[in-house]
Structures are given as structure tokens and as C-alpha cells.
Amino acid sequence: MRIRLHGTADECRRTADHLARVLDVLDASRPYPDRPPSRLVRIYLTANPPADTPPAEED
């Protein structure tokens, strides 16, 4: 799955670190800055659910 994080550089870094603890993160992009005057960035993650996670039950 592809996940886009959008926020401050620190928020994105901390969130990416947290997600890496619960997902199998295969790749993380460099921070891409928004156009000025914004100080926000985007980081793209490629991740899979952990291999030991059972499939979700459908409703």
C-alpha cells in the first residue's frame, strides 16, 4: 500500500517511525516541501501489513 504523510517535517518523521513499528515499511521517500509560503512537507511510504497479521473479517 502507498501512504502519504503530510505535515511538518518533524510530524512526518515521527509518524513514519511509529508506522514502521506496526507495518512492514518497504520504502520511505525524502521529504518533499510544499510550495512556499507553506512549511509543510510530504513523505510517501510503501508498506505492507505485518506478515503475522490475520486477515480482517468482512462485515
Side-chain angles (χ1 to χ4, degrees), residues 49-59:
D52 60 349
T53 303
E57 292 183 22
E58 293 186 26
D59 292 331

Side-chain angles (χ1 to χ4, degrees), residues 2-6 12 41-45:
R2 191 89 161 129
I3 302 167
R4 181 176 73 174
L5 304 177
H6 186 245
C12 289
V41 300
R42 296 174 316 281
I43 295 178
Y44 298 90
L45 303 176

Side-chain angles (χ1 to χ4, degrees), residues 1 7-8 13 15 18 24-25 27 31 37 42 44 51-52 54 56-57:
M1 86 181 76
T8 66
R13 180 191 50 78
T15 301
H18 179 73
D24 292 332
V25 175
D27 184 51
R42 296 174 316 281
Y44 298 90
D52 60 349
E57 292 183 22

Side-chain angles (χ1 to χ4, degrees), residues 2-50:
R2 191 89 161 129
I3 302 167
R4 181 176 73 174
L5 304 177
H6 186 245
T8 66
D10 185 56
E11 289 170 335
C12 289
R13 180 191 50 78
R14 287 186 293 129
T15 301
D17 290 346
H18 179 73
L19 287 172
R21 288 187 220 125
V22 295
L23 297 173
D24 292 332
V25 175
L26 307 173
D27 184 51
S29 74
R30 66 175 178 82
Y32 292 96
D34 283 355
R35 290 188 181 112
S38 177
R39 295 177 186 253
L40 301 180
V41 300
R42 296 174 316 281
I43 295 178
Y44 298 90
L45 303 176
T46 303
N48 289 326

